[in-house]
Structure formats: structure tokens, C-alpha cells
Amino acid sequence: MKKTLTYLIASIAFIVLSGTAMAQEGLAPFVGSTHVYSVDADDATNNTLAWSVVEGTPGTDYTISDGDTETATVLWKTAGTYKLQFSETAIGTGCITTKEVTIVVGENTFDVSTSNPLATCNAADGQVNYASNDATTSIKFTVNMATGNAGFNPNWEITFTLSPGTGATVANVAASEGTLSGSGPYTITGITSATGTGTVDITMDVTGDIYTVQDVDLAITSATELTYKTSDVDSDDWTAIQTINAIPNTSEIRAN
């Protein structure tokens, strides 16, 4: 009996602490994030349940889903301070219990970015009497993520396209983190983060003419943190170009 009681107390403490930890995120969300709020109603079956936000405009500043159950899902769209309310109206008497919590929605600081890698020579560079007009060169793009909060470390994902130059082909696309899927567009999901930042390297092989400069364009089309479904605050640093320089088209050595 004593062991059972101890277990129950420990379990209740864990639930309370876990709920508090989750609520702290939900009380200070990013713009564009989705959070779940819940209560234990006295009689969820017969009483009338309702969620509402006192300030702002529905659809513009926030969107509430499942607003007539014990749980509401709220997408926060505009920064500001809001009061989220839940009411339970007793069947028959019409008496109402109202609960309220203050939500401070901050500007979105989740940011994913990439930049141009340094130009490189193709794989025929320096090869003695290279015997082909084509070469396969390995290249790498790096994509970085920052949440703006060292204590917020969600998994995240990106979707991107790759566009090689005329006459070039891309193969063996791989990611250093997360799970890669697709054959163009590509998606990498489950990328980890720590201390508010994360990085993933995208590698591939590019085959093309050794005497022609080859460019490969990477374009991110979406970026999302996966805890609260927050999208990147902007898309102004979502593209990168890897330039693969040609080697000189030198003739064979002639002897007289």
C-alpha cells in the first residue's frame, strides 16, 4: 500500500511538472506557432464548453480549432498580449465557470538560412592526361537554423529544390542530419538542434563537362520547426549557388 501511494504521489508530481513545462511555452508563443490548451471540465458530456480570446480579431490575430471541447488548438498570428478564456455552462441552471490565462505572443525569431559555398574546381582539376570530357564532382551546401532562444531546441525540417546548369546532372543527394526523402523537391525532416541552433549539410555528386563552368542552385521552399509548427520568419536567405569552375581546354603535347 505504501509503495502504491508513493508511486501515485510521484506520478501526480510528474504530471504537474510536465504540464507546467509545456504551459510555459504556450504562455509565450511565437507568431505563427500552434499550441494546445486544455482543462478538465466538470461535465464535458452535458455542459456547454467554449474557448475564446478576449482581444484581437479571430482569423487575423489567432485561429481557434476545436473550441467547444476540453482542448483547444490555437494558431497565434499577431504579436501582442491576449487573454485566453474557457467557460463551462451548466446544463439546466445556466451557471457559468470561467477560467482565464494571459498569453504573450512574441515576434517570430525562428530563422533558417543558407549561403553560397566557395567556388571549386571540377574533379578533373590537376589530373594528368584526364581521359574524359566529363567529371563527377562532390559538392556540399550547409543550411543553418537559429530559434533566437538557447532554451528552445526543436526538431525542424526543410523542403528544397536543386537546379543544375545546362548539361549537368545531380545524383546521390544526402543529408548529414535528419531523414531525407523525395527526388526533387527534397525534404529533410527531424533535423536536431541544441542551444537554440542547428545545422544540416546537403551533399551530392554533380556530373558535367570539364571545360564548362557548372552552377548548381539550391532553393529552400519551406522551413518549419516541428514542436509548434512555426514557419521561418522570412525567406530572404533561402537560396545558394555552388559554382564548379572549368579547367583549361589544353591540347595534347606535340613533339617535332
Side-chain angles (χ1 to χ4, degrees):
M1 179 68 180
K2 184 177 180 180
K3 287 181 66 178
T4 301
L5 181 59
T6 302
Y7 174 79
L8 286 172
I9 293 172
S11 298
I12 292 169
F14 174 78
I15 292 169
V16 170
L17 290 174
S18 298
T20 301
M22 290 177 66
Q24 287 171 353
E25 295 291 352
L27 297 179
F30 288 157
V31 168
S33 63
T34 299
H35 295 260
V36 177
Y37 304 88
S38 62
V39 297
D40 294 324
D42 181 62
D43 185 349
T45 301
N46 297 303
N47 290 344
T48 300
L49 313 182
W51 292 87
S52 63
V53 176
V54 176
E55 297 81 7
T57 303
T60 299
D61 299 313
Y62 60 87
T63 299
I64 299 178
S65 303
D66 304 320
D68 58 354
T69 68
E70 291 177 295
T71 300
T73 301
V74 183
L75 167 61
W76 298 104
K77 297 182 175 182
T78 305
T81 300
Y82 303 87
K83 292 183 179 66
L84 176 66
Q85 290 187 347
F86 171 83
S87 66
E88 180 175 0
T89 304
I91 187 171
T93 68
C95 296
I96 301 172
T97 293
T98 301
K99 299 294 184 178
E100 181 180 276
V101 67
T102 298
I103 310 293
V104 180
V105 182
E107 295 292 349
N108 184 7
T109 56
F110 173 71
D111 187 43
V112 171
S113 62
T114 189
S115 59
N116 297 342
L118 292 176
T120 186
C121 298
N122 66 49
D125 175 46
Q127 299 289 328
V128 177
N129 293 335
Y130 190 80
S132 173
N133 286 334
D134 290 335
T136 298
T137 306
S138 297
I139 63 171
K140 178 180 72 175
F141 292 96
T142 298
V143 179
N144 298 303
M145 182 280 292
T147 65
N149 182 344
F152 182 41
N153 301 296
N155 284 358
W156 51 291
E157 72 176 21
I158 58 172
T159 298
F160 62 95
T161 60
L162 295 169
S163 302
T166 303
T169 59
V170 168
N172 302 323
V173 179
S176 64
E177 270 274 350
T179 301
L180 174 70
S181 62
S183 56
Y186 306 85
T187 296
I188 308 173
T189 191
I191 311 167
T192 60
S193 63
T195 63
T197 62
T199 299
V200 60
D201 291 329
I202 303 168
T203 56
M204 66 207 70
D205 295 331
V206 182
T207 300
D209 181 68
I210 61 176
Y211 305 122
T212 303
V213 175
Q214 302 288 350
D215 286 336
V216 178
D217 295 356
L218 177 143
I220 298 171
T221 57
S222 69
T224 309
E225 60 85 7
L226 299 177
T227 302
Y228 301 115
K229 309 300 182 186
T230 313
S231 297
D232 192 335
V233 63
D234 57 46
S235 58
D236 59 357
D237 42 15
W238 278 11
T239 59
I241 300 174
Q242 170 69 77
T243 297
I244 303 172
N245 287 323
I247 63 170
N249 190 1
T250 307
S251 72
E252 300 297 329
I253 296 174
R254 295 184 294 275
N256 294 323

